[in-house]
Amino acid sequence: MLVVTVAAGLLGGRFLVAGEDGGQARTARPAAGAGTAAGAEVARFQAELRRRPGQPRLLTQLGIAYVARARETADPTFYVKAAGVLTQASKLDPGDPTTMVARGLLDLGRHDFGSALAWGTRAARANPDLPDALGVIFDAQVELGRYQAAVVTAQAMVDRKPAQGSLARVSYARELLGDPAGAVAAMVQAAAAGGDSPADRAYVQTLIGNLHLGAGRLAPAEAAYRRALDGLPGYGLAEVGMARVAAARGDLAGAARLLEPAAARLPLPATVALLGDVRAAQGDTRAATTQYRLVRVIERLNQANGVAVDLELARFEADQRQLDPGADRRRAVAMARRALADRPTIYASDTLGWALRQAGQPGQALPHARAAVRLGTRDGLLWYHLAAVEADLGMTATARRHLAEAFAISPYLTVRDQPHALALAGRLHLPAPSRTSGQ
């Protein structure tokens, strides 16, 4: 019998969604990025509803397919369609826990995590044996910064059944709590547990790759991404992972070749922004600017379809200071403050701290940058941001220590941040990190 505990040191000796880069919990159902599985489901349930209109079960299944289609295509208009049919299903059968879970999944996709938590909680009360309800609860708790509660939920999930979904959440909880080796172990177990579809299996392999990449292990990361692509050719998230590996190795042309088709097929803001960063690193300012403009267009489209994007857009705008001195710093700070109020996570703290620092307010940034590392999360970017703030304030000794910590976690930051981190190391008289292992 497989026995898994989330982590040691909490809950009386026992112990999520790396975070997707400060975005939606990584443990939510994946965007496919290849194929049209959800599209086929949409067509099937639409046809059944034409034969049997007003059936609440079919409406719920269609709503779930619309949510999956939104992730498969990065088209937020499917969220609007999902909201319409799920609202109708709830009116016809208000006590159905599957519909409650579906509404929770929709709210996760739209970043309304308070509502997602409410729907997940209602579903769990209506059917305590429904594992997907706990999954919605965990994802929402993580995105609301309720980490202790999320640990309890993850433990409950894995105690009931150590399946792929529960083990993936154990992995994320361990990652957040500063146990990257335990996170990889749990994710490997999740892969061994199998998934319901090729997209699920490819998603887990991609998460394994992301964990290795975050620790600077490029060769294992590439191997995991290749396994994902072997199982599902054209899987966009794995292609982006391969591009990040190429960029870390200094192969910007190779990264761009991978990102161009991936961003065209699945235009997620983070993918489009990464392509812009790669083009900027290549010295192609015009191409980079085109991609950055597209990010803003995509986020406006998301907002128009009910997706909350303050956190993601604040982070993007704050990062633009390094490339666009005329960027609106005050807007980035205002969005980051709203995001932290709505989603008091370590990544929201990091975003507000970074936005304030980029706006020339390192004194105000410092408490937020410190809050971002309060869990001991082994994310090099968090520690680099803290070091940069401290350096601005003349806190040389702590800045050196925290920048060294960032490079110890991984000698490879993002293609955008790496040159600035190396420049900071030079100013602090800190040796450049070794980049020979794990390539």
Side-chain angles (χ1 to χ4, degrees), residues 13-314:
R14 279 163 62 86
F15 174 19
L16 91 111
V17 135
E20 198 250 44
D21 308 325
Q24 182 182 347
R26 74 172 192 195
T27 46
R29 295 179 187 272
T36 58
E41 289 288 278
V42 166
R44 181 165 71 88
F45 289 120
Q46 285 175 333
E48 288 194 35
L49 278 165
R50 283 193 292 270
R51 291 193 297 269
R52 292 183 290 163
Q55 291 292 319
R57 183 188 64 81
L58 291 176
L59 288 166
T60 295
Q61 293 302 317
L62 178 58
I64 293 171
Y66 278 141
V67 171
R69 188 68 173 143
R71 293 180 176 136
E72 190 177 77
T73 62
D75 181 350
T77 62
F78 285 109
Y79 288 137
V80 177
K81 296 176 181 179
V85 295
L86 291 176
T87 298
Q88 188 178 353
S90 288
K91 290 178 179 178
L92 293 169
D93 189 358
D96 180 50
T98 302
T99 302
M100 296 174 191
V101 167
R103 297 194 71 165
L105 291 172
L106 170 61
D107 286 334
L108 288 174
R110 293 175 114 174
H111 298 177
D112 186 350
F113 298 109
S115 181
L117 180 59
W119 282 116
T121 302
R122 286 182 60 184
R125 288 173 180 164
N127 183 356
D129 296 324
L130 193 60
D132 285 347
L134 289 180
V136 169
I137 291 170
F138 174 90
D139 294 348
Q141 287 169 332
V142 165
E143 291 297 328
L144 292 169
R146 302 180 187 182
Y147 298 117
Q148 180 73 28
V151 166
V152 175
T153 302
Q155 191 67 63
M157 289 186 73
V158 80
D159 285 347
R160 291 185 181 191
K161 185 178 181 181
Q164 188 177 85
S166 60
L167 289 165
R169 288 170 172 87
V170 168
S171 173
Y172 192 36
R174 288 176 175 175
E175 182 183 351
L176 287 168
L177 295 173
D179 180 13
V184 171
M187 196 59 74
V188 170
Q189 289 179 313
D196 295 334
S197 70
D200 289 335
R201 294 188 289 274
Y203 186 56
V204 169
Q205 288 298 332
T206 299
L207 293 181
I208 292 173
N210 291 348
L211 287 168
H212 284 304
L213 182 59
R217 297 186 292 266
L218 302 187
E222 181 180 17
Y225 296 137
R226 288 197 184 281
R227 285 194 295 273
L229 291 167
D230 287 343
L232 188 61
Y235 185 67
L237 299 181
E239 289 179 332
V240 172
M242 292 288 287
R244 292 169 64 198
V245 169
R249 289 174 170 157
D251 181 10
L252 297 176
R257 282 195 300 271
L258 288 163
L259 287 169
E260 288 280 5
R265 285 198 311 272
L266 192 67
L268 296 168
T271 303
V272 176
L274 177 58
L275 177 56
D277 293 342
V278 168
R279 290 305 189 194
Q282 290 179 303
D284 191 342
T285 303
R286 178 177 295 180
T289 299
T290 298
Q291 297 305 314
Y292 296 145
R293 287 175 179 164
L294 180 56
V295 171
R296 296 183 176 102
V297 170
I298 293 169
E299 294 295 31
R300 284 198 296 271
L301 179 63
N302 281 324
Q303 286 176 311
N305 286 278
V307 181
V309 299
D310 277 347
L311 180 59
E312 294 76 17
L313 198 50

